[in-house]
Amino acid sequence: SISAHAKKYINLNGSNYLNLSSNNYLGLADSAYLKQSAISAIEKFGCSSCASRLVSGNFEIYNELESTIAQFKHTQKALVLNAGYVANLTLLQALAKDAVVFSDKLNHASIVDGILLSRAKFHRYAHCDIEMLEKLLKKETANKIIVTDTIFSMDGDAAPLKEIVSLAKHYDAFVIVDEAHATGIFGEGRGYAYQKGVSRDIDCHMGTFSKALGSFGAYIASSELVIDYLINNARGFIFSTALPPAVIGANLASIDYVLKNPQLGKNLLSISENIRQYLKKLGFDVGNSVSQIIPVILKTNEAVLKAQKLLITKGIFVGAIRPPTVPKNTSRLRISLRADLDENDLELIKDAFAYLGNIL
Ligand SMILES: *Cc1c(COP(=O)(O)O)cnc(C)c1O
């Protein structure tokens, strides 16, 4: 069993290990600032929202959170959903009905499930394959929706957003991006689309509070037209109890924190670049990672499990990811780095992987 999971070290069966397996990329899950905001919200509004938003669960900090998100994302409006999974499910179910959907092969499972639930016709294009996407777009005449993760969760690589946006313009497609692993980190926390300067060309931005923002829940940021449509049509919004006040309190604080500390994400990305270059020098296959997620692709399950055990003997815990989460013969360690790693931690990581490189 696991305790003390929100901190830099993970406690497994009584011993501490440097935790490189968490999505708590900025360490905010354990931030006193977020905790205090959550506690204040509980004291003011109680432990539950007691109803769905449209009935009587719409307490005032909900509206405050949504206008904060809209400002943060530079969109007209935003809507908070109960989790990233629900957000994608309900967004696609509501919007894709009569459209044809184009989805990257490595998009998150919640996107795939949302498309299936919508019963829309869909195409999965090979990962980041712009030429294939264009060929597919050419063939269709119905309303088109392109949906992609910006930073992919098991590879840490990035979608070719500039190219996607330009195809979308040419073929008149609606673009949805999932910024689950980019929110809080890229583009002063505003996400990868913002960093790439294409934010305004994206029709609908989805992101989560459950990763770098250290809390829970998700947002959809878009035009007034889209958000108003979702309020009346998104089943995961209409038929579910609103997130509890504590979560809304923490979410408000998390955006505030990121806005006040834009260097956090930058530091994390520079730490990541440092480690990535070191791993490459050691000869490890780190794929096309450009983010705080670095895969170390060892191919077989045996190699990955052996590597995970060896790293534990060096005081480091890294997730071992195997099929069906990733394609066959691409089993990997998934390193996820954190902004609060110091020089000693980085040395520990480098020494451990140098040791691993000699043994494997
Ligand atoms: C984690 C994740 C989700 C789901 O978010 P939850 O808040 O955990 O439900 C959706 N999309 C992507 C790309 C994710 O990584």
Side-chain angles (χ1 to χ4, degrees), residues 25-300:
Y25 303 123
L26 301 179
L28 292 189
D30 194 45
S31 142
Y33 190 63
L34 268 69
K35 288 186 204 172
Q36 197 48 56
S37 183
I39 290 166
S40 304
I42 288 185
E43 283 173 348
K44 196 160 173 201
F45 300 102
C47 286
S48 173
S49 56
C50 307
S52 70
R53 293 280 300 284
L54 293 180
V55 179
S56 62
N58 199 33
F59 44 99
E60 65 199 36
I61 51 175
Y62 243 113
N63 295 335
E64 190 185 336
L65 178 60
E66 286 173 342
S67 56
T68 302
I69 296 164
Q71 264 177 30
F72 183 58
K73 298 293 292 181
H74 298 169
T75 58
Q76 287 175 337
K77 269 191 151 180
L79 190 67
V80 170
L81 277 296
N82 287 6
Y85 184 84
V86 179
N88 279 334
L89 209 65
T90 206
L91 175 66
L92 286 151
Q93 182 180 30
L95 293 187
K97 237 177 279 167
D98 303 310
V100 182
V101 184
F102 304 80
S103 172
D104 188 289
K105 194 113 189 213
L106 295 189
N107 275 344
H108 192 261
S110 54
I111 293 177
V112 178
D113 292 356
I115 296 169
L116 293 175
L117 201 58
S118 76
R119 301 201 191 103
K121 178 177 178 186
F122 67 96
H123 298 285
R124 294 177 79 189
Y125 56 93
H127 183 48
C128 294
D129 187 339
I130 283 295
E131 282 171 24
M132 181 171 175
L133 174 58
E134 178 160 26
K135 270 188 199 147
L136 293 167
L137 284 164
K138 255 184 203 160
K139 284 201 286 196
E140 297 290 349
T141 53
N143 287 336
K144 304 175 187 73
I145 296 177
I146 303 171
V147 56
T148 185
D149 289 8
T150 56
I151 299 297
F152 289 86
S153 51
M154 294 302 145
D155 292 81
D157 58 345
L161 281 192
K162 285 192 174 166
E163 289 83 353
I164 286 176
V165 160
S166 108
L167 280 185
K169 272 189 192 148
H170 193 262
Y171 293 96
D172 194 21
F174 185 94
V175 181
I176 300 174
V177 294
D178 177 339
E179 297 258 32
H181 293 284
T183 304
I185 297 165
F186 287 87
E188 292 155 23
R190 293 186 166 87
Y192 188 72
Y194 186 85
Q195 172 145 329
K196 284 283 149 186
V198 297
S199 193
R200 290 182 194 283
D201 301 312
I202 305 288
D203 298 287
C204 197
H205 308 255
M206 174 273 179
T208 59
F209 287 97
S210 54
K211 307 228 158 111
L213 297 180
S215 179
F216 194 68
Y219 64 81
I220 294 167
S222 187
S223 65
E224 189 168 352
L225 189 74
V226 168
I227 297 297
D228 288 348
Y229 180 80
L230 291 175
I231 288 171
N232 294 299
N233 292 278
R235 296 170 68 83
F237 172 77
I238 300 167
F239 298 109
S240 190
T241 300
L243 282 172
V247 171
I248 303 303
N251 291 355
L252 265 169
S254 72
I255 294 184
D256 195 38
Y257 195 92
V258 163
L259 280 171
K260 286 180 181 148
N261 300 279
Q263 81 290 353
L264 271 180
K266 258 194 195 149
N267 287 349
L268 174 56
L269 291 173
S270 97
I271 287 172
S272 306
E273 180 61 17
N274 177 327
I275 294 291
R276 194 161 42 237
Q277 290 311 329
Y278 189 82
L279 292 172
K280 274 187 193 169
K281 241 188 261 161
L282 291 174
F284 286 111
D285 176 4
V286 296
N288 296 317
S289 162
V290 294
S291 69
Q292 74 285 3
I293 301 164
I294 307 176
V296 175
I297 301 165
L298 300 173
K299 296 186 179 168
T300 66

